[in-house]
Amino acid sequence: MDYEAIVIGGGHAGIEAALALARLGRKTLLITQNPDAIGRMSCNPSVGGLGKGNLVRELDALGGEMAKLIDASMVQFRILNRSRGPAVQAPRAQADKQLYSGLARKAVESQGGLSILMDTVVDLIASADGRRVEGVITERGSRIGARAVVLCAGTFMESRLFIGTWSERGGRLGEAAALGLGSALMVRGFPVGRLKTGTPARIKAASIDFSRLEPDYGEGMEAFSFANDRVDRPVMPCWITWTNEETHAVIRANIGGSPLFSGKIVGRGPRYCPSIEDKVFRFPERVRHQVFLEPEGAYTDEVYLNGISTSLPEAVQEAFIHTMIGLEKAQVVRPGYAVEYDYVDPKALSPSLESRLMGGLFLAGQTNGTSGYEEAAVQGLLAGINAARFLGGEEAMTMPRSEAYIGVLVDDLTTLGVKEPYRMFTSRAERRLSLRCDTADRRLTPLGRAIGLVDGERWSRFERKLQGLDEIQALLSARRISHADAAQDSFLSPHVGESAADALCDPNVGGGAARLVPSLGGRFPEDWLETVRLDLRYAGYAAREARVAARFDRAENLRIPVDFDYALVEGLSAEAREKLEAQRPRDLGQAARIPGVRRADAALLMVVLLRATREKG
Amino acid sequence: MPRSYIDPPLPIVALASAPGESALALIRAAGPASIDLAAGLFSRPAALRASSGHRLFHGELVDPRTGEAVDEVVVAVFRGPKSSTGEDQVEVSCHGSPAVVRRILALFEGAGFSPALPGEFSFRAFVNGKTDLVRAEAMNELVRSRSDAARADALARLEGGLSRRLATARSELLGLLAEVELRLDYGEDEAEGLPSLDRLSELRRGLADLAASYAAGRRVSDGLSVVLAGPPNAGKSRLFNLFLKEERSIVSPDPGTTRDWIEAEIELDGRRLRLIDTAGLRQASGSIEAEGVARSGRVIALSDILVYLVDASAGGPGSTGVPTAEDLDFLADHPGAICVWNKVDLSHVASPPSGFLPLSAATGAGFPGLAAALAAAASMLIDGEASGKADAVGDHNAAAWDRTGAMHERTGAMHERIGAMHERSGAMHERIASERQKLLLDRTVAAIDAALGDLASPAGLDVVALDLREAAESLGEMTGEISTPEILETIFSRFCVGK
């Protein structure tokens, strides 16, 4: 074998997969169509957001790269959902796109044990029985051997771009599609389908009338990575404008030119990120839609028009952009476009992201039907880790839904599959209140350490923090609320005699831990105090949430053998049997979540599984 | 989240004997701490707790909140694994009236037991290795068929108005939850403002009213209780027997040996009625009499329809038709009672006072009039359609009714009472019929209350979402499961979101 592992694609999934493999000591080759495009941000210039910010923090705790990259390249920062409850808050940062991809490329290039090759993979090499992957075949005819292959092809497999009536093969505007691989996978029996996504136009900043727009500078920067105490970088503003009736009239008059509406695109697009033509037609009662003008970075004058992704003809794009305040004379540098691409149904993956059809083949990122840099990155990391563990003959790393958004994402993908590009939402997590952004390190650093991606320095830093949190907790428990406190703050009155820790559970008690125990202020970082306060505040709610979700936890434990014969379970509904046989859930929890599997089916299955366990025991 | 077989084993309780009237009933409870929990309801808690199992205990079940004795029972204690389920287990033999059974089940649920799922005792027996593989095979069938049957049953119950109403309430709740989730899933940039939750209070009111309809629903499923009351020698027993004789569709005359009152199930005008004769209670002598009177009072207080008999001949020859002061006191406390002027066959009795129906329990004269009045009252209680019936009755029995006007006055008062109840339940005819449904509705309402409370406090929308999710899931247990994709589906179909 030439390499132990091959990673196909240098996007956000491929970077994490390749780095994880190499860092875990596996001789790895990253094959990319263009090394200049490593870590390129194809769409919006930002990382994080609701649910997504949690993913980035979790990835960081496990030893991934993305958080460090955005910390070093952000140009603006914000915590979203400040007004809506701490458990659902998440960081988001605007990125300098070129700086981001440059840092990503440097991380990959400087990683020992990791080689980069510019080529396009057109097929896999399989073992004689087709059950194991043995390497890849490239466009230039090279056959490269490896026992593990991680496929992170993004939107590039058999992809096609659309702008109005114009259509051409391509993965991103100006970049060639990866032709052959999607078809080869289909021939090999992989369940391949089509999805669609889109991106808005980029316009020249100098052509914008900023005097008529409100700037937005975000808030004080904070680090995504638990390895960084703070981030201090120059801020670039975003600007806000709106579509209006005239914009919508232009779009309505020209809708015939949209490939989405003319039926040229068959793949399904994401409903949560609709094109502006979708928004205008699906929500005719809305008289305006918000548009964020986001700088693509310090290196360029291009500005990203967040909120109006489109594949209308270029002339129409220009016309409707010109109807908006501040954009009357905007010059379009790159038009918006739609891209349609092959994805592989993730239901054909096991929870380790290894293909169930071909051992040693792992799939990650948009190829699995997801959308978003963050969703891609965490899959890349998981696939890379599990490819390394596969090579070492170790058991795969998986995460329960109750412990990480990553666990929710992978379980959703491999159990439910996708009908549209999958984006993380906090509402997908049954244990949302326990999966706060600020607890990702406590939830997952020990796992990252056990896997081997958390180094000694990071580990001792983590241990120091744990100790600090304990101390804060102890000090808050020792401090009693007095009548004097109540006299100063009436909200403390109901808590006289209680500890400060108890008083902080009350949402009416304002201010942080340091207000009740001033000595904490100087001794510990503000975010540590806040974490402890939120732990206290949410303990009761999290327990309630856990009760509501308890059924899942228990079901997780009951494993279903890989070769389980559902035909032996008399009384299963025909639909349930068919679904279970097709999807082969790993455990009862997954089985119960498959649409078509009724509660009675799950109960029956449990009886049979328990019986089998007892027969063995 | 609906409880399922997969859940960690909770203490559970269910009626193990056949539902309905019987001399004795068996209530089974099993699960961790079940002996200890049941002991808290028993007059001799220490004996139960100390028992090593396989022992019977005689005593009373006591409502721990009021200290009131609910029934005299025999309790069998089994210690796991030496029990039919393999868990700690308690079996209560009690009197077999549905009211007593219902009361005891409610006590157990109040003490921390959950209602058992269909087949759950058998299921636990298998899980704990108490049934062999052959029986386990059979039980596979059982679990399946029972839950299918339970589902079919629930669907049948939910068909029509109630199911529509619950479905509407649930979809409104999901809509509100989607509004909240929308704000949580998207930032302030993309989903502005706060969800409008004005509908929530309204929804809560509707569901609380539905929960309150439990009493009416229970009347349909178990039958209305008709209690015959009155002073000694007023002719209650005779009237009771007359009912049994006249109404051919007697369902189950009760032997009456296991309780202090006599009860029979009759069918009148297509409705099930539980006829209860309190006769004899006051005739008991000595210290038992006080107890008897107290019990009689409880039975009367729990009655749906009260028939009050007065001995028309009590005043002696030539007396005017005036009820005694004692009768008037009683009737003042029970304004809905149907008043009967009995023994009109005797030659010297006065004509009935205003509002009293003339009857001779001995000859059967006036019985059709009483039966019609009962039917009208039953119909009012269940359907709230009183006046028409009462009119028809009046026409039908004009001869026997020379005081229809007064009768109407009485039924009018009752109608008002019932009318008010129906108004509270939103003029809906749907009602819930089981303790389980009531429990779920109560839970839903409590979760909505929590949501309203958290909305009014600085608790945060993330917590409100938890409240609403709990509410929707409790409601979902009655109508089918809730799932996250469903919430997202609602979000996508209703709101314009996304950059």
Side-chain angles (χ1 to χ4, degrees), chain B residues 154-470:
Chain B
L155 283 177
R157 203 180 324 112
L158 289 175
E159 249 161 26
L162 180 61
S163 84
R164 272 196 302 279
R165 189 161 175 201
L166 288 176
T168 306
R170 183 161 170 276
S171 80
E172 276 189 41
L173 209 47
L174 279 184
L176 291 169
L177 179 56
E179 290 237 21
V180 172
E181 291 292 357
L182 174 82
R183 266 74 183 188
L184 299 181
D185 274 346
Y186 293 84
E188 291 91 338
D189 290 353
E190 293 178 82
E192 292 168 277
L194 285 172
S196 85
L197 293 166
D198 298 344
R199 280 290 296 134
L200 195 55
S201 306
E202 208 174 312
L203 196 59
R204 184 213 176 276
R205 218 168 17 249
L207 291 171
D209 286 345
L210 196 58
S213 78
Y214 175 54
R218 179 182 54 75
R219 286 176 182 135
V220 178
S221 55
D222 293 357
L224 289 164
S225 60
V226 178
V227 170
L228 306 182
N233 290 321
K236 298 186 293 290
S237 295
R238 205 170 264 247
L239 178 58
F240 185 84
N241 292 329
L242 183 64
F243 265 108
L244 300 198
K245 208 160 56 188
E246 292 286 322
E247 297 303 324
R248 292 217 306 266
S249 46
I250 296 163
V251 182
S252 62
D254 192 90
T257 50
T258 59
R259 64 190 58 138
D260 303 313
W261 59 88
I262 301 171
E263 184 171 336
E265 213 168 90
I266 63 168
E267 199 175 306
L268 181 70
D269 226 18
R271 287 186 202 292
R272 288 177 64 190
L273 299 180
R274 284 165 40 230
L275 193 65
I276 299 164
D277 179 15
T278 58
L281 288 181
R282 291 203 193 178
Q283 288 153 9
S285 60
S287 63
I288 297 174
E289 181 173 359
E291 169 65 6
V293 171
R295 290 209 185 188
S296 173
R298 274 214 300 280
V299 171
I300 288 168
L302 290 171
S303 70
D304 294 311
I305 299 173
L306 194 57
V307 177
Y308 190 76
L309 272 80
V310 172
D311 180 357
S313 66
S319 67
T320 53
V322 178
T324 65
E326 201 184 357
D327 294 333
L328 289 174
D329 281 352
F330 183 91
L331 290 173
D333 289 343
H334 302 90
I338 295 174
C339 306
V340 176
W341 193 247
N342 191 23
K343 307 191 184 179
V344 293
D345 54 310
L346 301 180
S347 56
H348 56 268
V349 302
S351 55
S354 167
F356 279 73
L357 291 174
L359 175 80
S360 167
T363 66
F367 183 76
L370 172 61
L374 259 184
S379 155
M380 270 193 305
L381 279 169
I382 291 173
D383 306 323
E385 43 184 57
S387 49
K389 276 261 169 127
D391 285 345
V393 168
D395 292 341
H396 186 249
N397 273 314
W401 288 58
D402 52 349
R403 297 283 193 280
T404 36
M407 182 67 208
H408 272 266
E409 237 167 67
R410 288 215 171 277
T411 52
M414 190 186 275
H415 191 193
E416 253 169 49
R417 197 155 55 102
I418 305 308
M421 191 185 89
H422 276 272
E423 232 165 69
R424 277 204 306 279
S425 60
M428 294 283 182
H429 287 266
E430 308 88 62
R431 54 202 151 224
I432 54 167
S434 78
E435 190 86 41
R436 191 187 73 91
Q437 290 178 327
K438 165 126 172 70
L439 200 76
L440 289 170
L441 272 179
D442 286 347
R443 217 181 274 166
T444 308
V445 171
I448 293 178
D449 283 340
L452 289 167
D454 284 332
L455 271 171
S457 84
L461 220 47
D462 48 359
V463 171
V464 174
L466 174 62
D467 299 329
L468 290 179
R469 204 175 266 256
E470 279 185 332

Side-chain angles (χ1 to χ4, degrees), chain A residues 290 427 537-538 544 554 599, chain B residues 3 6 459 462 467 481:
Chain A
Q290 203 169 21
S427 62
R537 175 122 145 55
Y538 278 95
R544 258 172 69 198
R554 175 144 149 129
R599 277 174 66 200
Chain B
R3 205 165 69 77
I6 306 169
D462 48 359
D467 299 329
E481 278 183 72

